[in-house]
Amino acid sequence: MKLEDPSSKLVSPNPRNSLKLSFCSSIVNYTSEMLGFSAFLSLALGAQAAFETPVRARTTYSVKESHSVPSKWSQIGRVDPSHMLHLQIGLKQGNFDELERRLFEGTSLHDLVRSI
Amino acid sequence: MRLSLPCAVSNPEHNRYGQHLSFEEVNDLVKPTDETLDLVHEWLFANGVSLFDYSPAKDWINIYIDVESAERLLDTEYSLYQHEDGSTLVRTSEWSLPLHLHDRIDTIQPTTTFMRTTPQNTDYKHLQTPWMPPKYQPPTDETIAKVCEFFPVTITCFRTLYGTIDYVPKVPGLNKIGFNNFLNETPIRPDIHLFLENYRSEAAEQAWTFKSVEIADGPPASYANLTTEQLANALGREANLDAQTVLGMTYPALVYSYSTGGSPPSNPDSETTPNTNEPYLVYVNYILSQSILPQVISNSYGDDEQTVPKSYAQRVCQSFAQLGARGTTFLVSSGDSGLGDENPTNCITNDGKNSSTFLPEFPASCPYVTTVGATEQFEPEVAAWRPDGIGPDGEDHGYFASGSGFSYYFERPWYQDGVVDVYVENLKGLYAGFYNTSMHSIFPFVTQNLQIRRW
């Protein structure tokens, strides 16, 4: 994925955490806005000690999602364990309802029907 | 064109017209809470995942890990799956998270998404002469009759029929339109040049200058003619159709072609490894990370809604709402298979029960996009339809019907109340049980005459 927008470059996790992390990490010297790849990697080594709560799984795993394989697809084998994946993790959005409200703001059914 | 997005800011007669949200305002609204970010970071660090990047709103985290680590992270098992057409994907049918993250994470992909970004242009493209509906009447309106015939419908006919033939752009140089290519589809510039020289000569030079944007190693628009082998593989067929129509219709708007590849970024031997990317999501997150967007983006790729899990459909759909809030109208094809599939035995649910059902398309089923259906004829334009069988060119052609139906994932939005009630009432229970009338109805909002010729 080519990231052309500089704002989507590798960045530090939320600043609050970074500060906490920097406090416990003696591995690397950095300023929170200037994290590079390697600095971030080293930093993470010290990360586990930084959280106020124990890092080991706080709760047990349970199935988040099941989805039947569509009928035109069949399972034909296992995957090489070293095969690389680009996983995209969608975090719950903070205020989507407000975004939807702003999208529809002031629209009436009358506006829509009239233009058909 | 009859109707814009269901959105006041897109309605020229509304007092909030043009007052879209900015890139920053949208990102601010959708960014996760600090608590969500903390908890997810904690989980990733604890599992040894320390390198990641974010979408600008931080509502998506991208990580690049091997299958073995992903299986531990999600307590799952990935397999290689093959479609009956031979294409393969690395996916799973179930994955897990620690309970305390179930409300913090909506979806993680690729896991359970089996969507294939199939081009929606069926095989009309094979026809040299069309199947002519028996009751077809040529247009009686003199202006339209002069430029429009049943087949082929030309750019000049479109522009006359839809009233843009004498339109003078008010802000030339500012209006932009984009179209999307997947599955290694890419436009072929020499073909497009030839088409435009014939059908919109003033736009012909744009065939060489329109912008090609490559995402995840998607192929750039080609300056060279196709090789015989590429031609046989129908490379560029959908992309050319889209490029020729967009350039022919919208000149002198600036045109952007977005080609999204299928390979994961860090895999050098992609010739032999299966496709593990989820290109739709890669595309959506790319486009949302741009601070300047085209005002219109056209997307002719989709799949049956039930090939994707609901959580994925919802998040991708929310991304289209973000585009809409920023003032970009996202046009989506309604599908090529009417209410289901050419083969009725494929019209069964994917929930293990194998019940008979109509098959809505995604992303057409998302209530934040503007769905475009296909029409034919002129007075009146009617929904495009063609039976399967031997065509006038002596070759066997498949069934075609412009897509429609009711979503199973998205509830009926307020703007369909009333209109859909009347429609449902008139159905008088026809095919009841094959669809859910309380959900979003895929009524194509805008229609486009289908009988076009492609070069």
Side-chain angles (χ1 to χ4, degrees), chain B residues 226-409:
Chain B
L226 292 174
T227 63
T228 314
E229 192 192 344
Q230 287 171 326
L231 205 58
N233 289 334
L235 188 75
R237 186 178 274 171
E238 173 70 35
N240 269 3
L241 179 68
D242 296 356
Q244 290 166 4
T245 310
V246 167
L247 284 156
M249 287 299 292
T250 67
Y251 178 82
L254 301 172
V255 174
Y256 291 72
S257 163
Y258 297 99
S259 292
T260 304
S263 310
S266 48
N267 206 327
D269 56 341
S270 58
E271 293 259 299
T272 52
T273 49
N275 176 358
T276 54
N277 210 340
E278 208 305 282
Y280 226 73
L281 207 44
V282 170
Y283 163 75
V284 164
N285 279 327
Y286 169 83
I287 202 80
L288 279 172
S289 72
Q290 303 303 301
S291 54
I292 297 172
L293 293 172
Q295 289 88 346
V296 176
I297 297 176
S298 172
N299 182 84
S300 303
Y301 298 79
D303 205 342
D304 296 340
E305 189 184 59
Q306 65 176 5
T307 61
V308 301
K310 187 175 178 180
S311 63
Y312 168 92
Q314 279 175 330
R315 274 306 290 268
V316 171
C317 186
Q318 282 174 217
S319 299
F320 296 140
Q322 289 166 239
L323 286 178
R326 287 176 59 187
T328 292
T329 298
F330 199 75
L331 302 175
V332 171
S333 54
S334 69
D336 290 350
S337 303
L339 291 160
D341 194 291
E342 182 181 348
N343 179 354
T345 61
N346 288 328
C347 293
I348 50 170
T349 57
N350 190 33
D351 55 4
K353 293 180 188 157
N354 290 346
S355 323
S356 295
T357 181
F358 290 157
L359 296 172
E361 286 263 336
F362 181 78
S365 65
C366 164
Y368 306 121
V369 303
T370 301
T371 304
V372 182
T375 57
E376 59 189 14
Q377 309 183 39
F378 307 99
E379 292 174 353
E381 283 185 73
V382 297
W385 178 83
R386 183 195 62 202
D388 60 358
I390 307 295
D393 53 358
E395 288 187 35
D396 194 14
H397 299 287
Y399 167 85
F400 177 91
S402 183
S404 56
F406 286 88
S407 172
Y408 282 108
Y409 288 167

Side-chain angles (χ1 to χ4, degrees), chain A residues 5 10 59 61 64-66 74-78 83 85 87-91 93 95 100 106-107 115, chain B residues 2-3 8 14 52 59 61 65 78-80 82 94 100 102 106-107 109 112 276 289 311 315 318 368:
Chain A
D5 188 304
L10 268 182
T59 53
Y61 270 70
K64 166 70 176 166
E65 184 173 79
S66 295
S74 43
Q75 193 176 358
I76 59 166
R78 288 282 287 144
H83 183 80
L85 291 174
L87 280 189
Q88 304 190 75
I89 303 171
L91 310 188
Q93 297 182 325
N95 204 353
E100 188 194 46
T107 313
S115 53
Chain B
R2 289 128 189 212
L3 186 63
H14 198 278
F52 38 87
D59 58 336
I61 292 179
I65 58 173
Y78 279 93
S79 294
L80 190 59
Q82 187 166 43
E94 186 173 281
H100 74 281
H102 280 217
D106 290 333
T107 183
Q109 294 297 343
T112 49
T276 54
S289 72
S311 63
R315 274 306 290 268
Q318 282 174 217
Y368 306 121

Side-chain angles (χ1 to χ4, degrees), chain B residues 188-198 203-208 244:
Chain B
I188 312 301
R189 294 182 188 270
D191 292 350
I192 297 163
H193 188 252
L194 196 59
F195 174 91
L196 292 173
E197 274 188 324
N198 277 276
E205 282 314 297
Q206 276 223 25
W208 310 113
Q244 290 166 4

Side-chain angles (χ1 to χ4, degrees), chain B residues 65-85:
Chain B
I65 58 173
D66 58 71
V67 164
E68 192 177 7
S69 307
E71 289 182 336
R72 265 202 317 274
L73 188 67
L74 304 177
D75 191 18
T76 187
E77 193 171 284
Y78 279 93
S79 294
L80 190 59
Y81 290 90
Q82 187 166 43
H83 190 268
E84 51 188 36
D85 74 359

